[in-house]
């Protein structure tokens, strides 16, 4: 499945900055960063369940927000892009 993961983590506190780094590391393990707080993810249903669980454990639900958009199959193959070219293929190898 194709996913778009976006997040907004409170960073005014040291704890919030730690949560931000943790959320970013979790997302990097599952997909490719395409903007500062945006990741493209190609995964299986079981991988998505692990991703969601890890993110839920990492955030403070009263201060942070994560949005996971489930896209149509192969939607990441047909993206209109403006500006700096895409650096990675969303279906390419994921190096952690």
């Amino acid at each position: 499945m194709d996913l778009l993961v976006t997040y907004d983590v409170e960073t005014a506190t040291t704890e919030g900055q730690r949560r931000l780094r943790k959320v970013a590391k979790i997302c990097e393990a599952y997909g490719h960063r395409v903007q500062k707080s945006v990741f493209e993810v190609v995964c299986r249903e079981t991988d998505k369940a692990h991703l969601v669980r890890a993110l839920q454990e990492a955030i403070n639900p009263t201060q942070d927000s994560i949005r996971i958009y489930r896209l149509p199959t192969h939607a990441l193959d047909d993206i209109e892009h403006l500006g700096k070219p895409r650096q990675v293929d969303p279906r390419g190898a994921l190096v952690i």
Side-chain angles (χ1 to χ4, degrees):
M1 76 181 65
D2 290 4
L3 305 173
L4 189 67
V5 179
T6 67
Y7 56 85
D8 186 14
V9 177
E10 174 278 319
T11 58
T13 64
T14 303
E15 181 57 36
Q17 292 168 9
R18 273 191 224 114
R19 288 194 315 273
L20 176 65
R21 287 190 296 275
K22 188 168 188 173
V23 166
K25 284 189 179 287
I26 292 166
C27 290
E28 287 170 347
Y30 287 87
H32 299 283
R33 183 189 299 263
V34 294
Q35 292 186 353
K36 290 185 181 184
S37 297
V38 181
F39 284 79
E40 293 175 347
V41 177
V42 177
C43 66
R44 299 173 309 215
E45 192 70 43
T46 54
D47 298 322
K48 179 182 180 259
H50 289 114
L51 170 63
V52 169
R53 186 173 33 253
L55 291 171
Q56 286 175 326
E57 292 173 0
I59 66 168
N60 178 333
T62 64
Q63 297 179 330
D64 307 328
S65 172
I66 297 177
R67 299 174 69 98
I68 301 172
Y69 299 89
R70 186 174 188 156
L71 305 172
T73 303
H74 293 282
L76 294 175
D77 296 342
D78 188 31
I79 293 177
E80 185 173 348
H81 188 92
L82 307 174
K84 185 177 175 184
R86 178 186 255 174
Q87 300 297 311
V88 294
D89 175 1
R91 296 191 198 294
L94 181 61
V95 179
I96 301 173

